[in-house]
Amino acid sequence: DVKVTQSSRYLVKRTGEKVFLECVQDMDHENMFWYRQDPGLGLRLIYFSYDVKMKEKGDIPEGYSVSREKKERFSLILESASTNQTSMYLCASSLGGPNQPQHFGDGTRLSIL
Amino acid sequence: AQSVSQHNHHVILSEAASLELGCNYSYGGTVNLFWYVQYPGQHLQLLLKYFSGDPLVKGIKGFEAEFIKSKFSFNLRKPSVQWSDTAEYFCAVNAGDTGRRALTFGSGTRLQVQP
């Protein structure tokens, strides 16, 4: 069974801090994704990666960056955290093709004070 | 750009009632369609998917969905819900003919099943 592990379930940070969210998958998936989930808005794509060192912006990339140095690990970085980035962050991975289902981690609930 | 609409934001049903959750998307080409479920405190799980073939797709836990291309719809159905179906349900789509791998999600439908 595919396992997508996010490093923290809950995280509290302060405005202006640089925040790192880590995600690891154990199934050698090519694609990895970061979403944020907000009530009434569903999931919105922040960034995704289809290979090591490759990344593409999603629908809401402003204020975020990503890093994929190894195939199994995809990091989301909040360069200077702001209160409007308080949210649930979900990582997902999938095999290569567009019809492949995504497998999700448990999520990180991030609060920016 | 694709978009996905889930018109029912919150649905309350009694056990044994039938369920239909609406999902409409906006994209004129080939699509891959998914329904995911998120049980309280758990991660999103795939319920079912459609990318070609029979437009009536069966998934886990007795769920099914029908792809109607002319209506740009992919509604989720279950003939008889159980209390354990209480969860949030998300419809998602990507454009199959562009090779886009990322999904566009709807805003979700929260289902509450009363015993």
Side-chain angles (χ1 to χ4, degrees):
Chain A
D1 205 18
V2 178
K3 188 137 180 79
V4 179
T5 303
Q6 294 184 232
S7 53
S8 307
R9 286 299 297 270
Y10 301 93
L11 207 53
V12 180
K13 296 292 183 181
R14 296 208 172 272
T15 303
E17 280 192 72
K18 191 169 186 176
V19 180
F20 293 84
L21 302 184
E22 307 286 345
C23 176
V24 177
Q25 50 94 4
D26 66 356
M27 285 301 291
D28 204 35
H29 283 173
E30 291 87 349
N31 307 315
M32 296 188 75
F33 309 85
W34 276 106
Y35 296 90
R36 62 178 282 177
Q37 181 181 11
D38 299 289
L41 297 178
L43 279 72
R44 292 179 292 166
L45 181 68
I46 305 171
Y47 267 97
F48 69 99
S49 168
Y50 50 88
D51 201 352
V52 174
K53 298 191 187 295
M54 305 300 286
K55 61 186 179 185
E56 286 195 24
K57 293 181 180 179
D59 301 316
I60 52 165
E62 297 77 18
Y64 303 94
S65 62
V66 290
S67 172
R68 193 166 180 201
E69 296 295 320
K70 293 184 177 181
K71 191 174 185 179
E72 67 270 18
R73 186 179 297 269
F74 192 36
S75 303
L76 179 69
I77 303 153
L78 285 66
E79 298 291 344
S80 177
S82 64
T83 55
N84 63 11
Q85 293 177 310
T86 291
S87 187
M88 171 70 87
Y89 289 87
L90 299 180
C91 176
S93 72
S94 71
L95 286 169
N99 61 10
Q100 295 297 320
Q102 293 181 15
H103 300 266
F104 285 84
D106 289 334
T108 296
R109 187 166 293 282
L110 176 64
S111 296
I112 307 296
L113 306 179
Chain B
Q2 306 139 44
S3 65
V4 179
S5 296
Q6 293 182 244
H7 306 293
N8 314 105
H9 298 294
H10 190 193
V11 173
I12 302 173
L13 295 174
S14 298
E15 275 193 313
S18 64
L19 170 72
E20 181 160 3
L21 301 182
C23 172
N24 288 90
Y25 64 91
S26 66
Y27 184 72
T30 304
V31 289
N32 300 306
L33 297 154
F34 304 81
W35 274 98
Y36 284 86
V37 61
Q38 188 173 34
Y39 298 104
Q42 295 187 27
H43 61 268
L44 269 82
Q45 303 170 42
L46 181 70
L47 266 182
L48 47 79
K49 66 175 183 176
Y50 170 83
F51 53 91
S52 66
D54 188 343
L56 185 61
V57 180
K58 295 195 184 298
I60 60 171
K61 305 190 182 190
F63 286 91
E64 66 179 31
E66 186 174 14
F67 170 52
I68 303 179
K69 189 174 182 179
S70 61
K71 295 186 177 180
F72 298 89
S73 70
F74 190 54
N75 292 354
L76 182 71
R77 300 195 292 248
K78 186 172 185 178
S80 175
V81 295
Q82 301 172 311
W83 178 78
S84 56
D85 293 323
T86 294
E88 190 155 20
Y89 293 80
F90 295 93
C91 181
V93 63
N94 67 13
D97 50 6
T98 66
R100 175 181 164 93
R101 304 169 202 194
L103 293 173
T104 299
F105 282 82
S107 57
T109 297
R110 187 170 298 277
L111 172 65
Q112 186 178 344
V113 180
Q114 296 176 332

